[in-house]
Structure formats: structure tokens, C-alpha cells
Amino acid sequence: MIMEGKKGVVLGIANKKSIAYGIAKACQEQGAQMAITFLNERFEGKLAPIAQELECGNSFYPCDVSKPEEIEALRHSLEKDMGQIDFIVHSIAFAPKEGLSGRFVDIPKEAFDVAMDISVFSLIEITKALKPILSSRSSILTLSYYGGEKYIPNYNLMGVAKAALEMTVRYLAEDLGKDGIRVNAISAGPIKTLAAAGIGEFSFMLKWNAAHAPLKENVTIEQVGNSGMYLLSDLSSGVTGEIHYVDAGYNIMGMPAITEDENGKQQIAWNGES
Ligand code: NAP
């Protein structure tokens, strides 16, 4: 029971396919007590059974991160119901669809501002709002993707947001380290979720990753969940400011791997040629 005695809040569960659900489940299985949030009344009913499964009790609150008053209300609710907390999971991202396909140069400013506000600034805002109730050995976790480091087709605006998010993790980690607060990100491989469905040609990304990652498969929310739980627990007490890859090893590859043909001859295959 690695998370026994730990209390926290998880933002970003849309359904049981969400990465945040995988992390919350892993934390619950290891003894954590949790609050979860939902975006608005439309999602409250859908999330209620998940809140029950995760044994959240009354700790099930609305929080649209584009509304500062809801973040403030979240702090009051958490303080009232849980007192101090030890971890925060920020598993939230949004970009308008015109930022997730087409030509990068055509991204409208309004789309850029929305994506940066919800996917990046919200981490700073939530951290600042919840800091007064964070314990002196607490851990904050957010979710990133390799498209924040390298070009990925159609990831476009979200790539810029993830790059900013990763730097936000490092600056927050330095700023909050003296208060005993750690801040890390997991850079997860592609997983079929609601948010991922908005990215153009996402199913090709899944196929490409499984074909080219060293482990020759895509990762699951259980795998990301277990790694997330480690980063939220005291097992990672010496780790902060890290971007931890949980991507079946995809990020280490510079070119497709060498394979052997039926005669044992080594080859690199691409587009029917080798
Ligand atoms: P998901 O299940 O759709 O989760 C995204 C969550 O963000 C949803 O719960 C969504 O709420 C929430 N959200 C969006 N706008 C919000 C707002 N204004 N206020 C509060 N919450 C808001 O998809 P996911 O793939 O698990 O995404 C979680 C994180 O993982 C994201 O940061 C994503 O970029 C990252 N990630 C995903 C992948 C992947 O391939 N799936 C890979 C690497 C990183 P509603 O659904 O209620 O709108």
C-alpha cells in the first residue's frame, strides 16, 4: 500500500478510458484517498459512478479550469472535506479543432490563446490556488506528449502547448522545491481517448508508434497509471522537474529499426523499399 495515508485530487477524468482514470485507479489500489472533478453538470452524471468506484465519497466537485472562480471554489471544498492534500493530478488539455489539423501557419490567435490557457496556464493556476493546502511532502503530476519536443503530423498547436507545459513543470519544480513540493510530467505514448480523437489521423499515430517503438506495442492507461502513481508517491521523493517517458521507448528511436528478411539478411524497410 504505497499510497496509504495520501490524499489528493485528480482533474481530467472524462471516462474510464482517460489517462487520469488509469492514474486514479492505480493510486486507489495502493491506498490513496481521492477527490475528482468534473467539467460541468453535463458530465456530473457520467462521472458519478466513477467517483463511487474510486471511493471519493462527497469529494466530487465541478471545476472548469477556464473559470478562476471554480478553481478557487475547488480549494475551499478540498480544504473543508479533506484538510491538507498530498498530490494533484493535472490531466487536462484542450485545443480548438482548427489547431489540430491543416497548416500550422493558419492557426488563429483565439485558438492559440484557448489552448495555452486550458492546457498550460491551468497548471500554474491550480498549483497556486491549492498550494496553501499542499503538505510539505507533496507531488504534482501533469501529462505531456512527444509532440511537444519533435514534429508530429497534425499535433500542431498542442505541440506548442506541450512544449510550454514541459517548461512550466521545470520552473514550478524549482520554485516549489523549497516548500517540499515536487512537480513532474509523464510524456505518454499515444492512447485512444476522447481528447486524442480530436487529433487528425490519430489512428495512424497509434499504428506508427506500435510499429517503431522498441517494445513494439502502444502503452495502456494502466501502464501510465502505475508510473503516475510512482511519481505521486514517496518512492520518487528525489525526483522533480522530470519529464518521464511512458511510451514503450518510442522517444529513443532516430530511425526505424533493423529487421531480418526470410534469408536472415538485415534490412531497414520503408515504404516497400529496403
Ligand atoms: P481525456 O480522457 O479526454 O481527458 C482530457 C480531460 O481534459 C477531460 O477530462 C476533459 O474534460 C478535460 N478538460 C478539457 N477542458 C477542460 C477544462 N476547461 N476544465 C477542466 N477540464 C477540462 O483524454 P486523455 O488522453 O486522457 O488526456 C489527458 C491528458 O493526457 C491531456 O493533457 C493529454 O494531452 C495528455 N496526453 C494524452 C495522450 C493520448 O494519446 N491520449 C498522450 C500523451 C499525453 P471533458 O471531457 O469533460 O471535456
Side-chain angles (χ1 to χ4, degrees):
M1 299 300 265
I2 292 161
M3 297 294 280
E4 188 82 64
K6 296 268 189 203
K7 291 184 280 183
V9 59
V10 179
L11 296 100
I13 302 180
N15 53 43
K16 285 192 173 192
K17 291 184 174 167
S18 295
I19 292 176
Y21 173 78
I23 297 170
K25 196 72 196 153
C27 289
Q28 182 205 23
E29 284 168 3
Q30 291 298 323
Q33 185 193 333
M34 254 169 304
I36 67 170
T37 64
F38 54 91
L39 186 64
N40 54 39
E41 314 80 63
R42 215 154 58 80
F43 295 90
E44 185 172 4
K46 279 192 197 155
L47 272 196
I50 295 182
Q52 201 173 5
E53 180 195 329
L54 294 171
E55 299 168 288
C56 298
N58 292 330
S59 306
F60 175 46
Y61 319 110
C63 186
D64 179 339
V65 296
S66 67
K67 299 181 178 153
E69 66 281 8
E70 291 198 7
I71 296 180
E72 206 40 43
L74 175 67
R75 179 172 80 81
H76 287 298
S77 304
L78 286 169
E79 195 166 17
K80 183 164 73 65
D81 298 345
M82 299 179 101
Q84 272 203 329
I85 60 169
D86 309 285
F87 66 90
I88 303 171
V89 177
H90 172 277
S91 187
I92 288 172
F94 176 76
K97 65 177 184 327
E98 58 270 34
L100 297 172
S101 60
R103 292 196 59 175
F104 183 81
V105 74
D106 292 332
I107 289 171
K109 177 165 170 21
E110 307 79 66
F112 188 93
D113 292 348
V114 168
M116 294 301 273
D117 187 37
I118 296 186
S119 314
V120 186
F121 188 68
S122 66
L123 177 64
I124 303 172
E125 217 174 0
I126 286 162
T127 300
K128 188 175 178 181
L130 302 191
K131 188 173 172 292
I133 60 165
L134 281 173
S135 72
S136 57
R137 283 174 73 80
S138 51
S139 176
I140 300 173
L141 178 68
T142 189
L143 272 298
S144 191
Y145 176 59
Y146 191 56
E149 270 177 76
K150 295 280 156 67
Y151 168 80
I152 299 284
N154 291 321
Y155 203 61
N156 295 11
L157 176 52
M158 196 48 82
V160 178
K162 291 303 189 196
L165 182 73
E166 293 187 6
M167 275 320 291
T168 299
V169 164
R170 297 182 184 106
Y171 276 94
L172 281 175
E174 196 292 324
D175 192 12
L176 302 178
K178 49 181 128 8
D179 303 311
I181 302 167
R182 299 183 293 112
V183 188
N184 293 289
I186 283 181
S187 181
I191 302 175
K192 204 170 174 189
T193 62
L194 216 56
I199 301 162
E201 305 297 338
F202 184 75
S203 51
F204 183 76
M205 270 166 77
L206 282 172
K207 278 193 213 149
W208 179 271
N209 273 262
H212 296 294
L215 293 178
K216 301 285 172 252
E217 61 186 11
N218 284 311
V219 292
T220 63
I221 61 165
E222 288 76 20
Q223 289 173 321
V224 179
N226 286 331
S227 299
M229 188 270 296
Y230 150 77
L231 286 169
L232 296 170
S233 78
D234 291 338
L235 288 178
S236 60
S237 58
V239 181
T240 195
E242 256 331 286
I243 313 299
H244 178 64
Y245 296 101
V246 183
D247 64 350
Y250 180 80
N251 72 91
I252 67 158
M253 301 300 289
M255 270 182 80
I258 293 171
T259 54
E260 286 188 356
D261 68 13
E262 60 280 10
N263 303 315
K265 189 172 163 252
Q266 290 201 325
Q267 62 176 8
I268 297 174
W270 175 73
N271 205 17
E273 284 184 45
S274 62

